Amino acid sequence: MRPNLDGEFDLLKLAKEFWPTVHLYSKQREIIQSVMYNDKTVVVAGNKLG
Amino acid sequence: MAPRRCNALGGLTPRKDFVAGLIAVTYFLHPADTRIVTTSVNATHLNVLWGEIMRFVQTSKFPLRVEDGGPFYCTEQNIRKVVKGQMCPVSYLIGRVSAKSEGMAGHHATRTLAMIDECSGSDDEVFNQMETWAKKSLYWGNPLKNTGRFHAEVKAGDLLAH
């Protein structure tokens, strides 16, 4: 169960509302959810993948 | 108690700047006082992130720019929020390039987000300074070095599970 957002917006819902044609795949949604629910998010790409 | 930290993913390239741009704009939409500082190793790299930020500002279904009736007053790598017709004296979404963390301290507000791109190239002091005020942090980049703060953060993994 996700922790309460405590007055914060659900960034994924906001994104869907403001940019309805933008499709986010699972890993992108995971990053956004992590920012919503955690104090710190670290995203590492594969070496030389861009 | 909310998890303190999440190591979001590894080994993939999820168009990180695209997602970071979306996070910056959506997080800044909240009506409360909000300060977001974005930084990268150099101005060229920061332009990539800001290209994504401005693309989201321009392509929103609802107008975001003040000129179009929205709440954002946009200048070069600087977005201010207009609330009830007045420029919010606190909130901003800005880009800063700093070799040794100059200008990275003191961005305190009700809601704060530190965003560091290309973290492998960022000086550890940039992390230290931003963490003095940031309530939320987003670090991303390629694992180009096996030393430094970004390497340590990646190696630490998830501190608490969801």
Side-chain angles (χ1 to χ4, degrees):
Chain A
M1 188 175 161
R2 297 277 183 200
N4 195 314
L5 278 173
D6 198 23
E8 288 291 319
F9 288 157
D10 183 328
L11 303 186
L12 281 173
K13 285 184 181 170
L14 211 56
K16 191 75 181 167
E17 190 78 16
F18 278 68
W19 298 274
T21 58
V22 169
H23 176 74
L24 299 168
Y25 81 96
S26 60
K27 293 297 180 187
Q28 293 174 322
R29 291 197 300 272
E30 190 179 339
I31 296 169
I32 295 170
Q33 281 174 334
S34 177
V35 172
M36 283 162 50
Y37 293 109
N38 300 293
D39 293 346
K40 185 183 289 185
T41 300
V42 181
V43 181
V44 57
N47 199 9
K48 298 183 180 176
L49 284 177
Chain B
M1 183 176 151
R4 195 175 77 80
R5 179 184 188 279
C6 174
N7 194 351
L9 62 139
L12 293 167
T13 177
R15 292 184 67 199
K16 304 178 294 297
D17 289 298
F18 175 85
V19 181
L22 181 59
I23 288 169
V25 176
T26 50
Y27 194 78
F28 197 59
L29 279 168
H30 199 285
D33 293 347
T34 303
R35 286 181 170 169
I36 304 174
V37 178
T38 64
T39 188
S40 188
V41 288
N42 57 45
T44 307
H45 263 110
L46 198 56
N47 282 338
V48 175
L49 172 62
W50 273 85
E52 299 291 355
I53 289 172
M54 294 314 298
R55 177 163 62 176
F56 282 112
V57 170
Q58 288 165 359
T59 60
S60 168
K61 178 180 168 185
F62 307 104
L64 291 182
R65 285 175 168 270
V66 163
E67 307 90 284
D68 304 323
F72 290 176
Y73 178 75
C74 306
T75 54
E76 179 75 18
Q77 292 187 357
N78 188 335
I79 301 179
R80 304 297 298 264
K81 207 154 37 181
V82 176
V83 180
K84 295 178 182 171
Q86 301 281 320
M87 188 84 76
C88 175
V90 177
S91 299
Y92 50 69
L93 163 53
I94 56 172
R96 284 276 186 277
V97 176
S98 169
K100 291 284 179 188
S101 82
E102 305 91 343
M104 295 302 173
H107 298 279
H108 302 277
T110 307
R111 300 171 73 251
T112 49
L113 172 62
M115 304 178 71
I116 307 180
D117 190 7
E118 295 300 340
C119 286
S120 281
S122 294
D123 192 272
D124 288 0
E125 193 56 28
V126 172
F127 293 84
N128 295 339
Q129 290 295 324
M130 291 182 100
E131 288 182 355
T132 60
W133 54 266
K135 292 171 182 166
K136 283 186 180 288
S137 307
L138 172 59
Y139 306 149
W140 72 102
N142 294 78
L144 301 177
K145 292 193 309 188
N146 62 359
T147 57
R149 180 65 181 277
F150 184 53
H151 176 75
E153 295 284 359
V154 172
K155 281 290 179 191
D158 292 356
L159 295 189
L160 287 172
H162 284 253

